[in-house]
Amino acid sequence: MIEASCHCGAVRFSVETAPEQVNDCNCSICRRYGTLWGYYRPSDVGFSAENGPTDIYMWGDKSLEFHRCRACGCVTHWSPTNRERQKMGINARLLPAEVLAAIPVTHGDGASR
Ligand SMILES: [Zn+2]
């Protein structure tokens, strides 16, 4: 089990295994956030019941909710607004540093999609 946390610790989640790769996406929102996305099925990401609230940002077709900690501002994850969709993204920068350091980074071309 790998635990991830925002800077202040108000938002925590865990995953069974580290992502095989993380995506440094160049789309308009990701390049500004500086996130590295690891992709999971929503059922494979465990959010702590004690988590503090997140603020949500949506843009464009509003198909994704980008969540950030309301206290420290770290982007924690995105979730599809369509709950049937079985894909979400966690910000792998919240993983322990030694875990993240071992994961290959891919450079997704979200900007041209
Ligand atoms: Zn926080």
Side-chain angles (χ1 to χ4, degrees):
M1 191 66 82
I2 300 167
E3 305 263 352
S5 169
C6 68
H7 189 261
C8 75
V11 181
R12 300 171 186 275
F13 55 83
S14 60
V15 289
E16 206 68 54
T17 54
E20 284 178 19
Q21 54 188 31
V22 292
N23 185 18
D24 181 4
C25 177
N26 66 352
C27 86
S28 62
I29 186 71
C30 297
R31 69 186 169 85
R32 288 177 166 88
Y33 279 157
T35 44
L36 291 172
W37 299 115
Y39 302 112
Y40 288 88
R41 298 167 63 85
S43 57
D44 290 338
V45 181
F47 285 89
S48 168
E50 282 103 61
N51 274 357
T54 52
D55 282 325
I56 293 171
Y57 177 68
M58 292 192 286
W59 68 288
D61 63 6
K62 295 186 164 48
S63 62
L64 304 178
E65 300 173 349
F66 290 88
H67 290 255
R68 60 188 184 275
C69 173
R70 198 173 278 184
C72 70
C74 289
V75 175
T76 53
H77 63 287
W78 62 257
S79 299
T81 50
N82 177 357
R83 305 293 185 208
E84 306 288 293
R85 200 176 152 205
Q86 292 302 312
K87 184 181 179 182
M88 67 173 290
I90 63 155
N91 183 5
R93 290 199 181 275
L94 274 50
L95 294 170
E98 68 277 11
V99 173
L100 178 58
I103 306 172
V105 178
T106 60
H107 295 274
D109 187 17
S112 63
R113 284 203 300 268

